[in-house]
Amino acid sequence: MKIVHVMMCGPVTDGWSYQDNLLTKYHKKMGHDVTIITSQWIWGSDGVLERFDKTNYVNDDGVKVLRLPIKGNLPFEYKFKRYIGLYDSLEAEKPDVIFIHNVSFCDVSVVARYLKRHENVIAYADSHSDFSNSGTNRLAKNVLHKIIWRRKAKKIEPYIRRFYGVLPARVDFLVDIYKIPKEKTELLFLGADDEKVAAVDREGFRRFLEDKYGISQTDFLIVTGGKIDSAKRQTLELMQAVKSLGIAEIKLLVFGSVEANLKEKLESYLDCRQITYIGWIDASESYNYFGAADLVVFPGRHSVFWEQVVAQGIPLVCKYWDGTTHVNTDGNVLFLYNDSADEIKNVITRFFDDKDFYNEMKQNAQSARSKFLYSVVAEKSLQS
């Protein structure tokens, strides 16, 4: 089957561990002929958009990539980009299935026109928008989303078999803001790369951590990772909790970039042997660090690491957010309800002191993991 993924979300950067990369990778592994249509722009190593030289090539996953030029200036107008040659590219690819990533884009009318003229083509669409990352002010909510993007979503709605929200909150956004019929929506998990999960050598990496950071293989290792900024400053409360516990066997390893105005506060927690901060790491390396953990804690807002950790079968503690509790499918997650070091300290103490409770959480984590592997997610995405 020929599947064309039309990427209308952010820039698609080869080798990254985002849904754009992994869903196409596992559709290819299922035996389908897969093409990505996206723009010529990618994220550079310095976090700035840059033009990519190749326009028609096969990536490392065996997926064909067509990078089209766009109308509009960067960076502001990237959100309102128009692809040059999108319709002709669809005609040339002759898809059996079109998978549209993001329904809030200007060229939805181009895809709708193609689907209207090719009634045999099956189409799916997903959305990554919710009130934590979109519609965060009145103008965005009431004009951009409720008028402009709603019209675009409704224009293509007759031709879409299923609209996927990648979080429960994003399913709600499709229904409440874009007015997509609830019966046409469904939750499609984000997840983890099966191959990277399988490649983790837990025991070997624990030996590496002992040699490099002095984290004993018998220590109770807590890991957290991701950006530490004003939206996720709760990581500092996690560090405060571990430091105040003062238990030598409990170790915390933190990775991720830190906002400049929080750096001094972060560094103030590094004067004890219980906490190690290693800075930013490549996303592929995160599999080893999470896989070596006894417990993973995310005390701030949702990130794609949540689903990755569930897929790795590690007990998880994370902040309760309405619309993101889907990660707790088998009693594998404990939620935090208050932004306080004391609450985090009590939760950690429970995991450390109550071995029966911890072992039950480990078993639950193993039961939950398969639902969040991209081999499973990719199959589900084409079954609705």
Side-chain angles (χ1 to χ4, degrees), residues 241-254:
V242 172
K243 183 175 181 179
S244 64
L245 278 171
I247 299 174
E249 293 84 4
I250 296 179
K251 299 291 174 62
L252 171 65
L253 188 146
V254 181

Side-chain angles (χ1 to χ4, degrees), residues 12-183:
V12 177
T13 306
D14 291 341
W16 283 27
S17 298
Y18 285 162
Q19 187 219 36
D20 313 336
N21 310 81
L22 293 175
L23 199 56
T24 54
K25 173 180 178 176
Y26 281 91
H27 281 164
K28 179 68 177 179
K29 284 184 173 294
M30 290 168 65
H32 301 302
D33 182 4
V34 184
T35 295
I36 293 172
I37 298 179
T38 186
S39 79
Q40 290 178 287
W41 296 90
I42 64 170
W43 289 113
S45 57
D46 55 358
V48 176
L49 283 173
E50 59 184 44
R51 190 186 296 274
F52 192 67
D53 292 334
K54 297 179 182 178
T55 58
N56 186 336
Y57 62 98
V58 176
N59 69 17
D60 290 343
D61 298 320
V63 174
K64 180 180 178 181
V65 182
L66 296 178
R67 292 190 176 273
L68 304 180
I70 63 173
K71 301 175 184 177
N73 299 317
L74 296 175
F76 175 76
E77 291 187 11
Y78 191 87
K79 190 174 185 68
F80 303 97
K81 62 186 176 294
R82 302 296 299 267
Y83 284 7
I84 299 172
L86 175 57
Y87 191 91
D88 289 343
S89 296
L90 290 171
E91 286 282 14
E93 290 300 310
K94 296 180 173 58
D96 301 299
V97 173
I98 296 178
F99 199 108
I100 306 163
H101 294 257
N102 199 13
V103 293
S104 53
F105 66 95
C106 293
D107 271 345
V108 69
S109 55
V110 176
V111 183
R113 178 158 50 96
Y114 181 86
L115 291 170
K116 184 177 181 179
R117 294 178 179 178
H118 300 79
E119 296 180 357
N120 60 315
V121 176
I122 298 169
Y124 302 94
D126 71 9
S127 178
H128 296 248
S129 297
D130 60 51
F131 282 118
S132 73
N133 64 10
S134 307
T136 54
N137 58 59
R138 268 186 199 174
L139 181 63
K141 176 182 176 181
N142 295 318
V143 178
L144 184 61
H145 288 281
K146 283 192 172 182
I147 298 176
I148 298 173
W149 295 143
R150 180 189 290 177
R151 285 177 180 171
K152 297 293 185 181
K154 293 300 289 183
K155 188 175 186 67
I156 204 166
E157 186 260 319
Y159 310 106
I160 300 297
R161 175 176 289 189
R162 184 69 65 187
F163 287 85
Y164 294 117
V166 297
L167 297 176
R170 293 170 186 177
V171 174
D172 293 341
F173 200 88
L174 282 165
V175 174
D176 297 338
I177 302 301
Y178 295 156
K179 299 303 179 183
I180 302 300
K182 189 172 181 61
E183 61 272 16

Side-chain angles (χ1 to χ4, degrees), residues 202 206 210 213-222 247-252 273 292-294 352:
R202 176 182 167 85
R206 287 298 295 252
E210 184 170 37
Y213 300 114
I215 299 171
S216 169
Q217 296 178 62
T218 58
D219 285 335
F220 186 83
L221 176 60
I222 303 167
I247 299 174
E249 293 84 4
I250 296 179
K251 299 291 174 62
L252 171 65
R273 297 182 64 183
D294 296 296
F352 183 71

